[in-house]
Amino acid sequence: MSFPKAAGSIARRALVLVCLLGALAPFTAHATNTFVVAVYNLENWLMMERTGGTNSGKPVASREAVVSVLTGIRPDVLGVVEIGTTEDLADLQSRLRLQGLDLPHTEWVQAADPTRHVALLSRFPITARFSRTNDTYQMGERAMRIQRGILDVRIQPNPGYSFHALVVHLKSRRETEEGNQATMRLEEARLLRRHLDNVLASQPAENFVVMGDFNDLPAAPPVQTIAGTNETRLFVLHPRDHRGYDTTYFWRGKREWSRIDYIMTSPGMSNEYLTGSAHIAAPTSAFTASDHRALHASFVAVDEGIRSVAITPPQPAPPAAPFVLPSLYLLLVTVLLLAIIIFFAHKRSRPQPPA
């Protein structure tokens, strides 16, 4: 069988194009110009003593709900809090992959807390690792080691762009025998800020995303310490859910909502944030998944320069409830309008006297 000359030429060109695309595929499969970053406290995806005194992992229904939340977001870079062992992290990774969300690159941090860890999963390659697990601070006469460490890796979405992803979990607000929790949380925040300042002092335009469970309110000293001041102040994103609420954590024991989970960026990365893309995921499955809600935001993978001061932008107020007329009032208005229409219609229909 033979082709006309023109058809044969087109076929040969198509074949060459297919071959070129096939050759370039390994280099483009993981590159992108936009990407989504998310952070999620998984509420004890680990082995622990649970209701009834049994030692067991996170219930299957809760794990499936976590996966449902995350596949709804489809993050390219995911920071997780309250993960257990590396096997627990592999379990999460496998469950996400089965649902079409493949995040093959990982970092898992082991600091003073032997049970709860921070970790990261990424669609893009991790090109460098700077995580810190042995930093200490003084509490009276005691040298205290940071509980969950500072996860810090460099991620490369495409050949021309990279950024640091940091994940932290500051000391909880629940009292323990270790000492004053507020003081410990503030000291851990100072360790993180010192780590950031050490980099920004020599590389003020460096790209950072800092995310995690800070276990404190926006105006509290630990959160403000991490945000920093002046020209190295971090850009604090303010995600909201579809109803306009910004709370991220539900303390079941007190039946109390609060905002304690955050995503912040360095001045050098704040211009890459896609304005309005920061959200809190709030599907119905979220309440089964965790006592925290997942945060996510989108960025362009192109260096857009540095802000002189990365202040928090003004945020819109939560949407007001739609105005609904009371039923009785609506009925009265309707009757009045009908009466006016009938009056004028009747007046036009009356015979006019002869001129």
Short mmCIF file of all heavy atoms in Angstrom, two decimals, residues 117-168:
data_model
loop_
_atom_site.label_atom_id
_atom_site.label_comp_id
_atom_site.label_asym_id
_atom_site.label_seq_id
_atom_site.Cartn_x
_atom_site.Cartn_y
_atom_site.Cartn_z
N HIS A 117 5.27 13.29 64.31
CA HIS A 117 6.29 13.86 63.43
C HIS A 117 5.67 14.78 62.39
O HIS A 117 4.46 14.73 62.15
CB HIS A 117 7.06 12.74 62.73
CG HIS A 117 7.65 11.74 63.66
ND1 HIS A 117 6.94 10.64 64.10
CD2 HIS A 117 8.86 11.67 64.26
CE1 HIS A 117 7.70 9.93 64.92
NE2 HIS A 117 8.87 10.53 65.04
N VAL A 118 6.51 15.59 61.79
CA VAL A 118 6.12 16.34 60.59
C VAL A 118 6.78 15.67 59.39
O VAL A 118 7.86 15.07 59.51
CB VAL A 118 6.52 17.83 60.68
CG1 VAL A 118 5.72 18.53 61.75
CG2 VAL A 118 8.02 18.00 60.93
N ALA A 119 6.12 15.79 58.24
CA ALA A 119 6.64 15.15 57.03
C ALA A 119 6.16 15.94 55.82
O ALA A 119 5.31 16.84 55.93
CB ALA A 119 6.19 13.69 56.94
N LEU A 120 6.70 15.59 54.68
CA LEU A 120 6.33 16.26 53.43
C LEU A 120 6.33 15.26 52.30
O LEU A 120 7.18 14.36 52.23
CB LEU A 120 7.31 17.40 53.15
CG LEU A 120 7.08 18.19 51.85
CD1 LEU A 120 7.26 19.69 52.09
CD2 LEU A 120 8.03 17.74 50.74
N LEU A 121 5.35 15.42 51.40
CA LEU A 121 5.28 14.64 50.17
C LEU A 121 5.23 15.61 49.01
O LEU A 121 4.54 16.64 49.09
CB LEU A 121 4.05 13.73 50.14
CG LEU A 121 3.94 12.67 51.23
CD1 LEU A 121 3.09 13.19 52.38
CD2 LEU A 121 3.36 11.38 50.69
N SER A 122 5.92 15.29 47.92
CA SER A 122 6.01 16.22 46.80
C SER A 122 5.95 15.51 45.46
O SER A 122 6.51 14.43 45.29
CB SER A 122 7.32 17.02 46.89
OG SER A 122 7.50 17.83 45.74
N ARG A 123 5.26 16.15 44.52
CA ARG A 123 5.26 15.66 43.14
C ARG A 123 6.58 15.99 42.46
O ARG A 123 7.00 15.31 41.52
CB ARG A 123 4.10 16.30 42.36
CG ARG A 123 3.99 15.84 40.92
CD ARG A 123 2.64 16.20 40.35
NE ARG A 123 2.52 17.61 40.04
CZ ARG A 123 2.81 18.14 38.84
NH1 ARG A 123 3.32 17.39 37.88
NH2 ARG A 123 2.62 19.43 38.62
N PHE A 124 7.24 17.06 42.94
CA PHE A 124 8.48 17.53 42.32
C PHE A 124 9.70 17.00 43.08
O PHE A 124 9.61 16.68 44.28
CB PHE A 124 8.52 19.06 42.32
CG PHE A 124 7.26 19.69 41.81
CD1 PHE A 124 6.53 20.54 42.63
CD2 PHE A 124 6.80 19.45 40.54
CE1 PHE A 124 5.36 21.14 42.17
CE2 PHE A 124 5.64 20.03 40.06
CZ PHE A 124 4.92 20.88 40.88
N PRO A 125 10.85 16.96 42.43
CA PRO A 125 12.06 16.48 43.11
C PRO A 125 12.47 17.36 44.28
O PRO A 125 12.30 18.58 44.25
CB PRO A 125 13.12 16.52 42.00
CG PRO A 125 12.36 16.57 40.71
CD PRO A 125 11.08 17.27 41.01
N ILE A 126 12.99 16.72 45.31
CA ILE A 126 13.64 17.43 46.43
C ILE A 126 15.12 17.49 46.09
O ILE A 126 15.79 16.47 45.96
CB ILE A 126 13.41 16.69 47.75
CG1 ILE A 126 11.91 16.74 48.12
CG2 ILE A 126 14.25 17.31 48.87
CD1 ILE A 126 11.55 15.91 49.34
N THR A 127 15.65 18.71 45.94
CA THR A 127 17.04 18.86 45.48
C THR A 127 18.03 19.12 46.61
O THR A 127 19.24 19.02 46.40
CB THR A 127 17.13 19.99 44.45
OG1 THR A 127 16.68 21.22 45.05
CG2 THR A 127 16.26 19.69 43.23
N ALA A 128 17.53 19.49 47.79
CA ALA A 128 18.43 19.71 48.94
C ALA A 128 17.61 19.59 50.22
O ALA A 128 16.40 19.84 50.23
CB ALA A 128 19.10 21.07 48.86
N ARG A 129 18.29 19.20 51.31
CA ARG A 129 17.62 18.98 52.60
C ARG A 129 18.35 19.76 53.69
O ARG A 129 19.57 19.64 53.83
CB ARG A 129 17.58 17.49 52.93
CG ARG A 129 16.85 16.68 51.85
CD ARG A 129 16.94 15.17 52.09
NE ARG A 129 16.48 14.42 50.93
CZ ARG A 129 15.23 13.98 50.73
NH1 ARG A 129 14.31 14.23 51.66
NH2 ARG A 129 14.90 13.33 49.65
N PHE A 130 17.57 20.55 54.46
CA PHE A 130 18.15 21.40 55.50
C PHE A 130 17.43 21.21 56.84
O PHE A 130 17.52 22.07 57.72
CB PHE A 130 18.05 22.88 55.09
CG PHE A 130 18.58 23.18 53.72
CD1 PHE A 130 17.72 23.27 52.63
CD2 PHE A 130 19.93 23.36 53.50
CE1 PHE A 130 18.19 23.56 51.36
CE2 PHE A 130 20.43 23.64 52.22
CZ PHE A 130 19.55 23.74 51.16
N SER A 131 16.71 20.13 57.01
CA SER A 131 15.90 19.94 58.21
C SER A 131 16.76 19.94 59.47
O SER A 131 17.91 19.49 59.46
CB SER A 131 15.12 18.62 58.12
OG SER A 131 14.20 18.67 57.05
N ARG A 132 16.17 20.44 60.56
CA ARG A 132 16.87 20.58 61.84
C ARG A 132 16.10 19.81 62.91
O ARG A 132 14.89 19.99 63.06
CB ARG A 132 17.02 22.04 62.22
CG ARG A 132 17.69 22.90 61.13
CD ARG A 132 17.93 24.31 61.62
NE ARG A 132 18.93 24.36 62.68
CZ ARG A 132 20.25 24.41 62.47
NH1 ARG A 132 20.73 24.42 61.24
NH2 ARG A 132 21.08 24.46 63.49
N THR A 133 16.82 18.98 63.64
CA THR A 133 16.17 18.13 64.64
C THR A 133 16.80 18.22 66.02
O THR A 133 16.25 17.67 66.98
CB THR A 133 16.22 16.66 64.19
OG1 THR A 133 17.60 16.26 64.04
CG2 THR A 133 15.50 16.47 62.87
N ASN A 134 17.92 18.89 66.15
CA ASN A 134 18.64 18.91 67.43
C ASN A 134 18.77 20.29 68.05
O ASN A 134 19.50 20.46 69.03
CB ASN A 134 20.04 18.30 67.25
CG ASN A 134 19.97 16.82 66.91
OD1 ASN A 134 19.24 16.06 67.55
ND2 ASN A 134 20.70 16.40 65.88
N ASP A 135 18.09 21.30 67.51
CA ASP A 135 18.18 22.65 68.08
C ASP A 135 17.61 22.65 69.50
O ASP A 135 16.62 21.95 69.79
CB ASP A 135 17.39 23.63 67.22
CG ASP A 135 18.07 23.89 65.88
OD1 ASP A 135 19.15 23.32 65.64
OD2 ASP A 135 17.51 24.66 65.08
N THR A 136 18.22 23.44 70.38
CA THR A 136 17.79 23.49 71.78
C THR A 136 17.59 24.93 72.24
O THR A 136 18.06 25.87 71.62
CB THR A 136 18.82 22.82 72.70
OG1 THR A 136 20.08 23.51 72.59
CG2 THR A 136 19.01 21.35 72.34
N TYR A 137 16.89 25.06 73.37
CA TYR A 137 16.70 26.34 74.03
C TYR A 137 16.72 26.08 75.53
O TYR A 137 16.59 24.95 75.99
CB TYR A 137 15.38 26.99 73.60
CG TYR A 137 14.16 26.14 73.85
CD1 TYR A 137 13.48 26.20 75.06
CD2 TYR A 137 13.70 25.26 72.86
CE1 TYR A 137 12.37 25.40 75.29
CE2 TYR A 137 12.58 24.46 73.08
CZ TYR A 137 11.92 24.53 74.30
OH TYR A 137 10.83 23.75 74.53
N GLN A 138 16.88 27.14 76.31
CA GLN A 138 16.97 27.02 77.76
C GLN A 138 15.62 27.30 78.43
O GLN A 138 14.94 28.26 78.09
CB GLN A 138 18.00 27.99 78.33
CG GLN A 138 19.45 27.62 78.03
CD GLN A 138 19.87 26.31 78.67
OE1 GLN A 138 20.40 25.44 77.99
NE2 GLN A 138 19.65 26.19 79.99
N MET A 139 15.26 26.43 79.37
CA MET A 139 14.13 26.67 80.26
C MET A 139 14.66 26.52 81.68
O MET A 139 14.79 25.40 82.18
CB MET A 139 12.99 25.70 80.00
CG MET A 139 12.14 26.07 78.78
SD MET A 139 10.57 25.17 78.71
CE MET A 139 9.70 25.89 80.10
N GLY A 140 14.99 27.66 82.27
CA GLY A 140 15.64 27.61 83.58
C GLY A 140 17.01 26.97 83.45
O GLY A 140 17.86 27.42 82.67
N GLU A 141 17.24 25.89 84.17
CA GLU A 141 18.52 25.18 84.13
C GLU A 141 18.54 24.08 83.08
O GLU A 141 19.57 23.44 82.86
CB GLU A 141 18.81 24.57 85.51
CG GLU A 141 18.90 25.59 86.64
CD GLU A 141 20.03 26.57 86.41
OE1 GLU A 141 21.13 26.13 85.98
OE2 GLU A 141 19.82 27.77 86.66
N ARG A 142 17.41 23.84 82.42
CA ARG A 142 17.31 22.71 81.48
C ARG A 142 17.51 23.18 80.04
O ARG A 142 17.01 24.23 79.63
CB ARG A 142 15.94 22.04 81.58
CG ARG A 142 15.67 21.35 82.90
CD ARG A 142 14.27 20.76 82.89
NE ARG A 142 14.12 19.71 81.88
CZ ARG A 142 12.95 19.19 81.54
NH1 ARG A 142 11.83 19.62 82.11
NH2 ARG A 142 12.90 18.23 80.62
N ALA A 143 18.24 22.38 79.29
CA ALA A 143 18.33 22.57 77.84
C ALA A 143 17.26 21.70 77.20
O ALA A 143 17.27 20.48 77.36
CB ALA A 143 19.72 22.18 77.33
N MET A 144 16.32 22.34 76.52
CA MET A 144 15.19 21.64 75.92
C MET A 144 15.41 21.50 74.41
O MET A 144 15.73 22.46 73.73
CB MET A 144 13.89 22.41 76.17
CG MET A 144 13.57 22.62 77.63
SD MET A 144 13.07 21.09 78.46
CE MET A 144 11.49 20.78 77.67
N ARG A 145 15.24 20.28 73.93
CA ARG A 145 15.37 20.03 72.49
C ARG A 145 14.02 20.26 71.81
O ARG A 145 12.97 19.94 72.35
CB ARG A 145 15.83 18.59 72.29
CG ARG A 145 16.09 18.19 70.84
CD ARG A 145 16.50 16.73 70.80
NE ARG A 145 16.52 16.19 69.46
CZ ARG A 145 16.43 14.90 69.17
NH1 ARG A 145 16.29 14.02 70.18
NH2 ARG A 145 16.47 14.47 67.93
N ILE A 146 14.05 20.83 70.61
CA ILE A 146 12.83 21.08 69.87
C ILE A 146 12.05 19.79 69.69
O ILE A 146 12.61 18.73 69.40
CB ILE A 146 13.16 21.75 68.50
CG1 ILE A 146 11.88 22.26 67.85
CG2 ILE A 146 13.92 20.81 67.58
CD1 ILE A 146 12.13 23.17 66.66
N GLN A 147 10.74 19.85 69.90
CA GLN A 147 9.93 18.63 69.97
C GLN A 147 9.78 17.92 68.63
O GLN A 147 9.99 16.71 68.54
CB GLN A 147 8.54 18.98 70.52
CG GLN A 147 8.54 19.27 72.01
CD GLN A 147 8.74 18.02 72.84
OE1 GLN A 147 7.95 17.10 72.82
NE2 GLN A 147 9.84 17.97 73.58
N ARG A 148 9.37 18.64 67.60
CA ARG A 148 9.11 17.98 66.30
C ARG A 148 10.06 18.42 65.20
O ARG A 148 9.92 18.00 64.05
CB ARG A 148 7.67 18.21 65.85
CG ARG A 148 6.63 17.41 66.62
CD ARG A 148 6.07 18.21 67.72
NE ARG A 148 5.12 17.46 68.56
CZ ARG A 148 4.16 18.06 69.24
NH1 ARG A 148 3.98 19.37 69.15
NH2 ARG A 148 3.36 17.36 70.01
N GLY A 149 10.99 19.28 65.55
CA GLY A 149 11.99 19.69 64.57
C GLY A 149 11.47 20.73 63.59
O GLY A 149 10.34 21.21 63.67
N ILE A 150 12.34 21.08 62.65
CA ILE A 150 12.01 22.01 61.56
C ILE A 150 12.28 21.28 60.26
O ILE A 150 13.43 21.00 59.92
CB ILE A 150 12.84 23.30 61.63
CG1 ILE A 150 12.60 24.03 62.95
CG2 ILE A 150 12.55 24.21 60.44
CD1 ILE A 150 13.59 25.17 63.20
N LEU A 151 11.24 20.91 59.55
CA LEU A 151 11.42 20.27 58.24
C LEU A 151 11.69 21.36 57.22
O LEU A 151 10.92 22.31 57.09
CB LEU A 151 10.17 19.47 57.86
CG LEU A 151 10.24 18.61 56.60
CD1 LEU A 151 9.25 17.44 56.69
CD2 LEU A 151 9.98 19.40 55.32
N ASP A 152 12.79 21.24 56.49
CA ASP A 152 13.16 22.24 55.49
C ASP A 152 13.81 21.53 54.30
O ASP A 152 14.88 20.93 54.45
CB ASP A 152 14.12 23.26 56.11
CG ASP A 152 14.55 24.36 55.13
OD1 ASP A 152 14.10 24.34 53.96
OD2 ASP A 152 15.35 25.23 55.52
N VAL A 153 13.17 21.59 53.16
CA VAL A 153 13.73 21.01 51.92
C VAL A 153 13.58 22.01 50.78
O VAL A 153 12.69 22.86 50.79
CB VAL A 153 13.03 19.68 51.54
CG1 VAL A 153 13.27 18.62 52.60
CG2 VAL A 153 11.54 19.88 51.30
N ARG A 154 14.47 21.88 49.81
CA ARG A 154 14.35 22.68 48.59
C ARG A 154 13.66 21.83 47.53
O ARG A 154 14.06 20.68 47.29
CB ARG A 154 15.72 23.13 48.07
CG ARG A 154 15.60 24.03 46.82
CD ARG A 154 16.99 24.34 46.25
NE ARG A 154 17.75 25.19 47.13
CZ ARG A 154 17.62 26.51 47.22
NH1 ARG A 154 16.72 27.13 46.46
NH2 ARG A 154 18.36 27.22 48.03
N ILE A 155 12.64 22.39 46.90
CA ILE A 155 11.84 21.69 45.90
C ILE A 155 11.95 22.43 44.58
O ILE A 155 11.97 23.67 44.53
CB ILE A 155 10.36 21.61 46.37
CG1 ILE A 155 10.28 20.74 47.62
CG2 ILE A 155 9.46 21.08 45.27
CD1 ILE A 155 8.92 20.71 48.25
N GLN A 156 12.01 21.66 43.49
CA GLN A 156 12.19 22.26 42.16
C GLN A 156 11.03 21.89 41.24
O GLN A 156 11.02 20.84 40.61
CB GLN A 156 13.51 21.81 41.55
CG GLN A 156 13.87 22.56 40.28
CD GLN A 156 15.34 22.46 39.96
OE1 GLN A 156 16.05 21.59 40.48
NE2 GLN A 156 15.82 23.34 39.10
N PRO A 157 10.03 22.79 41.12
CA PRO A 157 8.91 22.51 40.21
C PRO A 157 9.29 22.49 38.74
O PRO A 157 8.68 21.77 37.95
CB PRO A 157 7.93 23.66 40.50
CG PRO A 157 8.30 24.16 41.85
CD PRO A 157 9.78 23.98 41.93
N ASN A 158 10.27 23.30 38.35
CA ASN A 158 10.75 23.28 36.97
C ASN A 158 12.22 23.69 36.96
O ASN A 158 12.74 24.16 37.99
CB ASN A 158 9.89 24.17 36.06
CG ASN A 158 9.95 25.64 36.45
OD1 ASN A 158 11.01 26.19 36.73
ND2 ASN A 158 8.79 26.30 36.46
N PRO A 159 12.92 23.53 35.86
CA PRO A 159 14.37 23.80 35.85
C PRO A 159 14.74 25.22 36.23
O PRO A 159 15.86 25.46 36.69
CB PRO A 159 14.77 23.48 34.41
CG PRO A 159 13.76 22.50 33.94
CD PRO A 159 12.48 22.91 34.59
N GLY A 160 13.83 26.18 36.06
CA GLY A 160 14.18 27.57 36.34
C GLY A 160 13.67 28.10 37.66
O GLY A 160 13.84 29.29 37.94
N TYR A 161 13.06 27.25 38.48
CA TYR A 161 12.45 27.77 39.71
C TYR A 161 12.54 26.73 40.82
O TYR A 161 12.30 25.53 40.60
CB TYR A 161 10.97 28.12 39.48
CG TYR A 161 10.31 28.75 40.67
CD1 TYR A 161 10.40 30.12 40.89
CD2 TYR A 161 9.59 27.99 41.60
CE1 TYR A 161 9.80 30.71 42.00
CE2 TYR A 161 8.99 28.57 42.70
CZ TYR A 161 9.09 29.92 42.90
OH TYR A 161 8.51 30.51 44.00
N SER A 162 12.86 27.21 42.04
CA SER A 162 12.87 26.34 43.21
C SER A 162 12.47 27.14 44.44
O SER A 162 12.51 28.38 44.42
CB SER A 162 14.25 25.71 43.42
OG SER A 162 15.21 26.70 43.74
N PHE A 163 12.09 26.45 45.50
CA PHE A 163 11.72 27.12 46.74
C PHE A 163 11.94 26.17 47.91
O PHE A 163 11.97 24.95 47.75
CB PHE A 163 10.26 27.60 46.70
CG PHE A 163 9.24 26.49 46.72
CD1 PHE A 163 8.60 26.12 47.90
CD2 PHE A 163 8.91 25.81 45.55
CE1 PHE A 163 7.66 25.10 47.92
CE2 PHE A 163 7.96 24.78 45.56
CZ PHE A 163 7.34 24.44 46.75
N HIS A 164 12.09 26.76 49.10
CA HIS A 164 12.16 25.99 50.34
C HIS A 164 10.73 25.73 50.83
O HIS A 164 9.91 26.65 50.88
CB HIS A 164 12.88 26.77 51.44
CG HIS A 164 14.36 26.82 51.30
ND1 HIS A 164 15.21 26.12 52.13
CD2 HIS A 164 15.16 27.51 50.45
CE1 HIS A 164 16.46 26.38 51.80
NE2 HIS A 164 16.46 27.21 50.78
N ALA A 165 10.45 24.51 51.23
CA ALA A 165 9.20 24.18 51.92
C ALA A 165 9.54 23.80 53.35
O ALA A 165 10.33 22.87 53.57
CB ALA A 165 8.48 23.05 51.21
N LEU A 166 8.98 24.53 54.31
CA LEU A 166 9.21 24.26 55.73
C LEU A 166 7.91 23.83 56.38
O LEU A 166 6.86 24.45 56.13
CB LEU A 166 9.76 25.48 56.44
CG LEU A 166 11.19 25.90 56.09
CD1 LEU A 166 11.20 26.89 54.94
CD2 LEU A 166 11.90 26.50 57.30
N VAL A 167 7.97 22.80 57.20
CA VAL A 167 6.80 22.31 57.93
C VAL A 167 7.17 22.23 59.41
O VAL A 167 8.22 21.67 59.76
CB VAL A 167 6.35 20.92 57.43
CG1 VAL A 167 5.05 20.50 58.13
CG2 VAL A 167 6.18 20.90 55.92
N VAL A 168 6.30 22.79 60.26
CA VAL A 168 6.57 22.78 61.71
C VAL A 168 5.29 22.44 62.47
O VAL A 168 4.18 22.61 61.97
CB VAL A 168 7.12 24.14 62.21
CG1 VAL A 168 8.50 24.40 61.63
CG2 VAL A 168 6.17 25.27 61.88
#
